[in-house]
């Protein structure tokens, strides 16, 4: 989980030889957040007390390699979990008192332990299918990840992309329509890319050429795409659902050997081509952004467009084309709704996924890997709600659904560390 | 390479920024372009560098006409530029900044950072720079950043190098080192265009001097010309470089600053253990190179720096820890360093700007309602009194010239009953006429018995106005000396040398 | 953003090239002064007056043609044309006729005319005056429907517009409306009180709910520097799930004995009285938004607080230096903004949907309000009329759907196109071959992406 990326915002800026004294800064936000989670788990286990044994199923019926299920007694698990969390929190306080940063792995371990405890508590006397939970998480995360990657590229080049929702929706619509009339899901994929790019064109034209506030264009575009797709759905798609809105679904392609790995094999390597394209996209965006000429220029334009201009980089066309690439990726995510899962377009079917993707961009600090992880986390939270709802655990599903949004509010409010975007994001570049 | 500009004309709307400018820079020559702020020097150089397109005229390199669509073309033709505001990306390393725009790549499109590092090291060695290719630019001191700019230009084999106001951010010592670098470049055959408005520097390093005024070339001068000759040429008339003022009659100590620290967002003490006092009826100038804590010091007095230690008190009342509003109500007048950014609301009218810091007070507001009549009367009066040149008091402040904008700020601040007046860079970027006006009003304020603090990076201004001078370096006060202290002593102090004052 | 490295990074929010811009503006200003005077005036020449050479009549013409009002009209026209194209393209008769376009082109054109004129005349008759009714009292009913639809749009538009003036983008209309509707609704169905008191109490509860939900955004922004766009988007969902939970939980908002996620109906005493009798739906809410419009006008243009709002909106840095507490101003602004949006929620539960509300009570008004505020250019009077226009679209849209089978979603398309066209006057001018306006380009839409220098 510890990812090192060059040139992501450096939180600790030590002037090299400025000779200026540095005051000691202690940051207490993270340990306090940890402590809150300890209190929550203590409340769950000891106040909202539940007894019994939770079964965590690690294998499905038809897995090649079967793992035994974990039988976790709720109370015992609770005690262990709370003690572990408390220890880690103490460690976090100690680090903060030493004015040191809390390493990402500690946060990750903390999160996993908390989640294990929560699952055990929530599933008391019932059985939770871990594979199914993860499989569903990947499915729900896929459009978020595509959207977040599009968001990362767009914002890194200096154009705030609130229109991810519109790009996803346009991708979903056009891919369903084209795949239906051609009876070819791959034509649908291509159409999704085109749809995303078209939305990007409008965003780019208004943001770059007409210098309209990018956030406003994004919001209005979302409304426009929602209206347009709903209108066309009512007039065209519904007029002949058979011909226009029954896209063939993409086949699953299990990857030999890899798909037989216990737990993760089926989750990651027995998927449709969109998911594999997603892996490629994540890798390419990460590599491209930080190790290639394209990425260097892109980031330069997003950080300090004038500096980029003075070394001969065309700022506005760089922005234009990269916003288009961002649209293509986000549009592909839209295809997942129609070709990868549901199998037909419905009105406003993205239901705010674009905004969660935007949240993932920010929570992931404009870094493709972190944003992907954030999208996975959000997908997991959503699917957890589905799973717990299915086994009837009594946790109000609305509160789990709220989770991604609450987490993001905490993130932007700086409770999980300082968040800093590309310096010139949202600012049009005006040359006299 | 020989550079020639023929009849360059650049307009912004109906405004002519460059009017048929001709300029020849011979190979291996340091050619100074001298002119006031706003004379059109930077516009000309931006035309040369392809950032602006000229309406008329040609750019010739070694007698062949060039067509620059953008900076990329200019760079390929061999023109390099060291910008006044550094064109560096703070979150990139030195090597990344240097390679940006002409990147070499390895297999798989991977950036060849090693080649860039080698290039940085090679050029650094040639000029004796000590620059780490892997340091983040944002972490480097200003002087080093400027060297990165130079390396950036040289890494593209520039044979014409433009320095746009390069000394504004340097200490006198760093300036001397820059002069040495310029001579070294010249000896290697590089043609240099050196843009400045500082007469001393011009005379020290230039081979030829061209003076620009109001967008036109007004003459050439040789480096042997006297300061006053150059100044007269630059301004277009004989200029009084001094301010007429009577000797100060200081009263009681009014503002007392003791052991003040200001800590910035990164936890750095940008003002470090500063103590001084200002008396009624005197002007204390705070001198120093840009970025040595002066800005933060004045902001701490005003109360917009959130983290301070020590104490600031005015006539016995503690100021720090108070809100800006309380500080203003205690009688502090403040002219911020960047008037368009911090001093005025560009989309507001002159009248509205005049009530900006009394937005809930009599006579402008009664019972929460604006008193437009009172405001208009007040604005008309101040427009006359401060000679604000504008169509009417409803003209938007953003449409005024720099000098008139500054007069609006001054009119606002000086029309309250003041116990302390703080002016930060009060004459930066404004015309000579307005400078004289501003200086006159400041001396009048002093003579009315108000303690005045002037922060300035221009030694001329400091020497002209100050009764006493405090010199700041890296967040600390190096020393407080009398107003008639020689410039060379001040220069050394600005470079951090203590003990020279005695 | 630290201040100690301001030499190398331009201050946040600063224009890319402030130095060059101001330099170039001041120099030529003096350059155009009387030529070759040996000693120019000591002070700079007056502010540059563009187009001084252009003939005066030309200038007036330019002002009319380049003016924002004309652009607004043309933007609406363009959007309606685009809507017409959509209607025609998806019309089945047009599609059939276009199959033999080259043999009988007139059929296609006729079909297009039929489709478009039918749709737009239904739109008009559904929103202004229905000529098929005999009496004036019946014919005018659509207009009152328009005003009924406009009521929450204006209220929420005022809220969004007020935030724009302070430099804040309140996309949180949905959340604020939901919370406000829940508060007003709860008061409305839980208590037994005399009518005037009950209404007042319910209205105040709703406004307070919206204000708190909006103020929370202002508070978080002021305290932590979090961007309000992200906060409001996220809080929309939080509010939605919160209200959904409460609506399906007995004892909170759910109607007793009902399995549906829906509240009980409002008590008679809490329902807004109809203005023109029970025949028309127009209710007290419309009077309230007229009052709100006037109050917001006074607040922004004549009050001390409004002055500070505008100062912070235009230049938060200068406002801060002038002693205005920017952070508190953000909190106040979001309280007002949320309260106004809350009024829209109140008008929904107490005026329009009085039979109990569900999680969809906001009806997308929170987002429509953004377009209303933009079309009204964030000015109270403008917002009032923009709200009526979009109210007409809504009222007419439903009758267009009923009469001509054109889905009401077309209204959303037209609305968002209007805003896009308004945002880009050069585009509109290019389409209509209009001259470029003289003078400095004025900002059409608010700029909400700027930041305050963190200190």
């Amino acid at each position: 989980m510890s990812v090192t990326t060059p040139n992501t915002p450096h939180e600790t800026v030590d002037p090299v030889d400025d000779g200026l004294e540095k005051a000691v800064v202690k940051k207490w936000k993270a340990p306090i957040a940890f402590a809150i989670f300890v209190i929550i788990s203590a409340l769950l286990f000891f106040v909202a007390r539940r007894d019994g044994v939770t079964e965590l199923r690690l294998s499905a019926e038809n897995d090649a390699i079967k793992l035994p299920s974990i039988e976790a007694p709720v109370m015992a698990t609770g005690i262990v979990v709370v003690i572990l969390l408390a220890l880690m929190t103490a460690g976090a306080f100690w680090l903060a008192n030493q004015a040191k940063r809390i390493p990402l792995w500690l946060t990750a371990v903390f999160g996993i332990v908390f989640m294990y405890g929560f699952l055990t508590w929530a599933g008391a006397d019932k059985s939770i299918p871990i594979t199914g939970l993860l499989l569903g998480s990947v499915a729900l995360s896929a459009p978020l990840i595509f959207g977040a990657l599009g968001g990362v590229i767009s914002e890194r080049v200096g154009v705030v992309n609130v229109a991810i929702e519109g790009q996803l929706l346009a991708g979903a619509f056009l891919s369903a329509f084209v795949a239906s009339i051609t009876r070819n899901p791959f034509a649908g994929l291509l159409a999704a890319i085109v749809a995303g790019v078209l939305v990007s064109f409008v965003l780019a034209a208004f943001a770059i050429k007409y210098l309209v506030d990018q956030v406003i264009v994004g919001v209005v575009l979302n409304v426009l795409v929602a209206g347009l797709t709903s209108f066309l759905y009512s007039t065209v798609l519904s007029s002949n659902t058979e011909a226009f809105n029954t896209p063939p679904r993409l086949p699953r392609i299990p990857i030999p050997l890899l798909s037989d790995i216990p737990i993760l094999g089926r989750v990651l390597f027995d998927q449709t081509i969109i998911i594999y394209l997603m892996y490629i996209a994540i890798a390419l965006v990460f590599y491209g952004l930080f190790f290639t000429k394209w990425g260097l220029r892109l980031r330069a334009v997003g950080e300090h467009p004038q500096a980029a201009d003075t070394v001969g980089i065309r700022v506005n066309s760089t922005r234009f084309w990269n916003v288009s690439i961002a649209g293509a990726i986000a549009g592909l995510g839209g295809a997942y709704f129609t070709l990868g899962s549901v199998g037909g377009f419905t009105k406003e079917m993205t239901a705010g996924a674009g905004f969660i993707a935007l949240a993932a961009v920010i929570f992931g600090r404009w870094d493709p890997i972190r944003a992907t992880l954030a999208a996975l986390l959000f997908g997991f939270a959503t699917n957890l709600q589905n799973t717990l709802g299915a086994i009837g655990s009594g946790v109000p599903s609305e509160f789990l659904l709220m989770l991604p949004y609450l987490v993001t509010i905490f993130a932007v409010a700086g409770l999980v560390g300082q968040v800093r975007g590309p310096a010139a994001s949202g600012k049009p570049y005006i040359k006299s | 390479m020989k550079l020639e500009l023929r009849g360059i004309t650049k307009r912004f709307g109906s405004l002519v920024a460059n009017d048929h400018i001709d300029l020849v820079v011979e190979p291996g020559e340091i050619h100074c372009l001298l002119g006031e702020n706003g004379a059109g020097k930077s516009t000309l150089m931006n035309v040369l560098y392809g950032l602006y397109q000229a309406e008329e005229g040609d750019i010739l390199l070694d007698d062949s006409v060039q067509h620059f669509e953008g900076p990329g073309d200019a760079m390929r033709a061999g023109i390099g530029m060291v910008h006044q505001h550094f064109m560096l990306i703070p979150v990139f390393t030195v090597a990344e900044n240097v390679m940006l725009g002409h990147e070499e790549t390895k297999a798989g499109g991977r950036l060849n950072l090693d080649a860039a590092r080698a290039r940085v090291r090679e050029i650094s060695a040639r000029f004796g720079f000590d620059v780490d290719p892997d340091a983040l630019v944002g972490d480097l001191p200003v002087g080093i950043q400027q060297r990165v700019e130079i390396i950036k230009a040289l890494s593209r084999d520039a044979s014409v190098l433009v320095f746009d106001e390069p000394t504004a951010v340097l200490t006198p010592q760093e300036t001397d080192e820059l002069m040495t670098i310029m001579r070294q470049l010249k000896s290697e055959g590089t043609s240099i265009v050196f843009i400045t408005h500082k007469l001393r520097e011009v005379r020290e390093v230039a081979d030829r001097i061209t003076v620009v005024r109001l967008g036109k070339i007004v003459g050439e001068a040789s480096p042997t010309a006297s300061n006053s000759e150059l100044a007269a040429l630059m301004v277009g008339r004989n200029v009084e470089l001094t301010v007429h003022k009577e000797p100060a009659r200081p009263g009681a100590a009014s503002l007392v600053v003791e052991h003040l620290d200001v800590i910035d967002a990164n936890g750095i003490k940008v003002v470090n253990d500063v103590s001084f006092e200002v008396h009624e009826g005197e002007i204390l100038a705070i001198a120093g190179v840009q970025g040595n804590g002066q800005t933060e010091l004045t902001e701490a007095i005003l109360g917009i720096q959130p983290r301070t230690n020590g104490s600031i008190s005015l006539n016995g009342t503690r100021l720090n820890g108070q809100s800006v509003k309380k500080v203003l109500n205690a009688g502090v007048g403040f002219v911020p360093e960047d008037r368009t950014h911090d001093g005025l609301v560009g989309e507001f009218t002159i009248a509205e700007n005049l009530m900006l810091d009394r937005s809930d007070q009599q006579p402008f507001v009664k019972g929460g309602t604006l008193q437009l009549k009172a405001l208009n009367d007040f604005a008309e009066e101040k427009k006359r009194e401060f000679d604000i040149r504008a169509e009417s008091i409803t003209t938007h402040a953003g449409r005024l010239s720099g000098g008139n904008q500054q007069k609006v700020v001054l009119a606002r601040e000086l029309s309250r009953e003041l116990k302390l007046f703080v002016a930060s860079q009060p004459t930066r970027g404004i015309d000579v006429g307005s400078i004289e006006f501003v200086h006159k009003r400041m001396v009048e304020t002093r003579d009315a018995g108000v303690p005045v603090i002037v922060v300035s990076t221009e030694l001329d201004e400091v020497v002209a106005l100050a009764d006493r001078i405090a010199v700041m370096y890296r967040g600390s006060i190096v020393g407080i000396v009398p107003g008639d202290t020689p410039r060379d002593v001040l220069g050394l102090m600005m470079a951090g040398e203590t003990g020279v004052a005695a | 953003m630290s201040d100690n490295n301001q030499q190398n990074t331009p201050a946040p929010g600063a224009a890319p090239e402030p130095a060059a811009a101001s330099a170039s503006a001041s120099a030529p200003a003096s350059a155009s002064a009387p030529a070759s005077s040996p000693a120019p005036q000591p002070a700079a020449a007056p502010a540059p007056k563009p187009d001084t050479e252009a003939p005066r009549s030309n200038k007036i013409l330019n002002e009319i043609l380049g003016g924002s009002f004309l652009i607004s009209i043309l933007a609406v026209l363009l959007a309606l044309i685009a809507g017409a194209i959509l209607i025609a393209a998806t019309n089945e008769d047009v599609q059939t006729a276009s199959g033999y376009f080259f043999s009988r082109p007139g059929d296609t054109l006729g079909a297009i005319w039929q489709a478009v004129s039918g749709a737009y005349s239904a739109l008009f008759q559904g929103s202004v005056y229905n000529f098929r009714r005999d009496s004036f009292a019946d014919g005018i009913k659509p207009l009152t429907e328009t005003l009924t639809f406009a009521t929450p749009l204006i209220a929420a538009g005022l809220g969004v517009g007020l935030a724009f003036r302070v430099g804040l983008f309140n996309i949180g209309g949905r959340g604020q409306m939901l919370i406000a509707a829940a508060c007003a609704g709860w008061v409305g169905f839980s208590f037994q009180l005399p009518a005037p008191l009950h209404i007042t109490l319910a209205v105040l509860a709703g406004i307070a709910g919206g204000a708190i939900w909006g103020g929370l955004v202002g508070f978080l922004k002021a305290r932590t520097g979090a961007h309000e766009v992200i906060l409001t988007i996220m809080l929309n969902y939080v509010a939605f799930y919160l209200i959904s939970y409460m609506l399906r939980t007995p004892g909170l908002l759910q109607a007793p004995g009902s399995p549906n996620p829906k509240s009980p109906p409002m008590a008679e005493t809490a329902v807004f009285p109809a203005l023109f009798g029970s025949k028309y739906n127009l209710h007290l809410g419309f009077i309230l938004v007229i009052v709100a419009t006037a109050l917001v006008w006074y607040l922004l243009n004549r009050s001390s607080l409004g002055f500070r709002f505008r100062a912070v909106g235009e230049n938060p840095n200068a406002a801060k230096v002038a002693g205005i507490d920017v952070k508190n101003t953000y909190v106040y602004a979001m309280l007002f903004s949320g309260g106004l949006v809350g009024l829209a929620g109140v008008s929904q539960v107490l005026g329009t949907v009085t039979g109990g509300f569900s999680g969809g009570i906001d009806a997308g008004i929170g987002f429509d309000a953004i377009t209303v505020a933009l079309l009204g250019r964030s000015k109270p009077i403008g917002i009032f009329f923009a709200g009526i226009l979009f109210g007409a679209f809504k009222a007419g849209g439903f009758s267009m759907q009923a009469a001509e089978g054109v889905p009401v979603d077309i209204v959303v398309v037209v609305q968002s196109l209007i805003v896009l066209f308004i945002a880009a006057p050069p585009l509109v001018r290019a389409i209509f071959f209009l001259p470029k306006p003289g003078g400095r380009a004025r900002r059409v839409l608010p700029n909400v992406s700027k930041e305050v220098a963190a200190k």
Side-chain angles (χ1 to χ4, degrees), chain A residues 148-304:
Chain A
L149 289 176
V152 166
I153 291 178
S154 182
E155 302 219 357
R156 281 273 184 173
V157 82
V159 178
V160 173
N161 192 354
V162 190
I164 300 174
E165 175 82 358
Q167 290 162 340
L168 288 175
L169 194 57
F173 175 83
L174 207 61
S175 65
F177 180 67
V178 171
S180 301
I181 52 176
T182 59
R183 309 306 309 159
N184 182 347
F186 297 99
L189 281 184
L190 210 61
I193 292 174
V194 171
V197 171
L198 285 177
V199 177
S200 271
F201 276 168
V202 183
L203 173 66
F206 278 85
I208 296 167
K209 186 166 193 317
Y210 298 116
L211 311 175
V212 186
D213 189 281
Q214 296 167 0
V215 177
I216 292 177
V217 188
V219 169
V220 174
L221 263 180
N222 287 337
V223 177
L224 177 64
V225 174
L228 205 55
T229 51
S230 299
F231 177 79
L232 292 173
Y233 172 79
S234 307
T235 49
V236 180
L237 296 199
S238 307
S239 68
N240 188 348
T241 310
E242 192 68 29
F244 296 139
N245 198 15
T246 35
R249 284 183 61 171
L250 287 164
R252 280 183 182 280
I253 311 169
I255 295 181
L257 293 179
L258 285 180
S259 58
D260 291 335
I261 300 171
I263 309 180
L264 291 181
R266 270 200 56 214
V267 173
L268 298 178
F269 300 110
D270 183 12
Q271 294 280 13
T272 61
I273 188 159
I274 298 190
I275 300 293
Y276 298 130
L277 282 175
M278 180 179 89
Y279 300 154
I280 296 169
I282 296 167
L284 277 184
V285 171
F286 173 69
Y287 177 79
L289 214 46
F290 296 116
F291 300 102
T292 68
K293 184 163 131 178
W294 167 71
L296 189 75
R297 292 185 169 199
L298 183 155
R299 286 182 292 134
V301 165
E303 286 287 344
H304 195 336

Side-chain angles (χ1 to χ4, degrees), chain C residues 126-173:
Chain C
S127 62
V128 183
Y129 194 89
N130 191 343
F131 298 107
R132 282 188 288 257
R133 295 278 181 274
D134 296 331
S135 68
F136 176 78
D138 285 335
I140 201 68
K141 187 168 189 228
L143 188 62
T144 65
E145 283 301 297
T146 290
L147 297 182
T148 310
F149 276 110
T151 300
L153 286 175
I154 295 169
L158 286 171
V160 175
L162 181 92
F164 275 143
R165 295 293 287 275
V166 194
L168 299 171
F169 193 1
N170 180 6
I171 324 184

Side-chain angles (χ1 to χ4, degrees), chain B residues 37-261:
Chain B
N37 286 319
K41 299 167 301 198
S42 291
T43 306
L44 183 66
M45 288 304 114
N46 284 333
V47 168
L48 169 63
Y49 196 58
L51 278 167
Y52 298 162
Q53 311 300 321
E55 274 81 26
E56 288 171 41
D58 294 315
I59 300 166
L60 292 86
L61 286 173
D62 282 341
D63 296 322
S64 70
V65 176
Q66 308 287 322
H67 293 285
F68 297 153
E69 295 285 319
D73 296 340
M75 279 184 310
R76 267 187 292 282
I79 295 173
M81 188 140 163
V82 175
H83 298 266
Q84 184 178 2
H85 304 283
F86 301 149
M87 291 299 156
L88 299 170
I89 291 150
V91 298
F92 281 13
T93 66
V94 171
E96 285 172 326
N97 267 293
V98 167
M99 79 195 300
L100 185 67
H102 63 150
E103 305 87 349
E104 287 175 42
T105 48
K106 295 191 283 196
R110 202 179 168 93
L111 289 169
N112 191 347
L113 271 170
D114 291 329
R117 288 191 190 101
R119 197 96 176 95
V120 173
R121 289 207 186 88
E122 177 220 325
I123 298 171
S124 298
R126 219 163 85 204
F127 291 91
F129 298 165
D130 180 22
V131 177
D132 173 13
D134 290 316
L136 278 187
V137 163
D139 295 346
L140 296 176
V142 181
I144 306 289
Q145 291 193 11
Q146 188 172 61
R147 288 172 186 192
V148 177
E149 277 275 84
I150 298 174
I151 293 172
K152 214 170 98 180
L154 293 179
S155 75
R156 287 152 217 263
D157 304 315
S159 47
V160 176
L161 206 50
V162 180
F163 287 86
D164 187 2
E165 300 274 7
T167 59
V169 291
L170 301 182
T171 64
Q173 275 60 34
E174 284 173 321
T175 305
D176 288 344
E177 286 169 31
L178 178 69
M179 301 286 161
T180 313
I181 294 167
M182 285 165 77
R183 289 196 200 95
Q184 198 180 343
L185 284 164
K186 170 185 151 181
S187 69
E188 291 187 2
T190 310
S191 314
I192 292 175
V193 181
F194 177 28
I195 301 176
T196 186
H197 64 278
K198 295 184 182 169
L199 305 175
R200 233 177 315 281
E201 295 166 2
V202 173
R203 302 200 304 140
E204 190 177 327
V205 78
D207 296 315
R208 272 204 290 163
I209 301 168
T210 297
V211 184
V212 187
R213 170 161 38 101
L214 304 177
K216 288 184 183 143
I217 302 259
V218 290
E220 289 216 0
S222 79
T224 52
S226 74
N227 267 1
S228 53
E229 281 169 357
L230 287 175
L233 207 52
M234 185 163 95
V235 178
R237 68 197 165 102
N238 293 325
V239 194
E240 291 276 355
L241 288 174
T242 50
V243 179
H244 282 293
K245 64 180 194 340
E246 302 293 315
R249 288 188 300 275
S254 178
L255 177 81
V256 181
V257 175
E258 280 171 330
H259 303 295
L260 180 73
D261 293 339

Side-chain angles (χ1 to χ4, degrees), chain C residues 278-301:
Chain C
S278 58
K279 196 169 165 187
Y280 303 103
N281 289 322
L282 192 61
H283 51 75
L284 179 70
F286 187 67
I287 303 293
L288 290 182
V289 293
I290 293 176
V291 174
T293 308
L295 281 179
V296 173
W297 181 88
Y298 164 79
L299 177 72
L300 282 174
N301 295 300

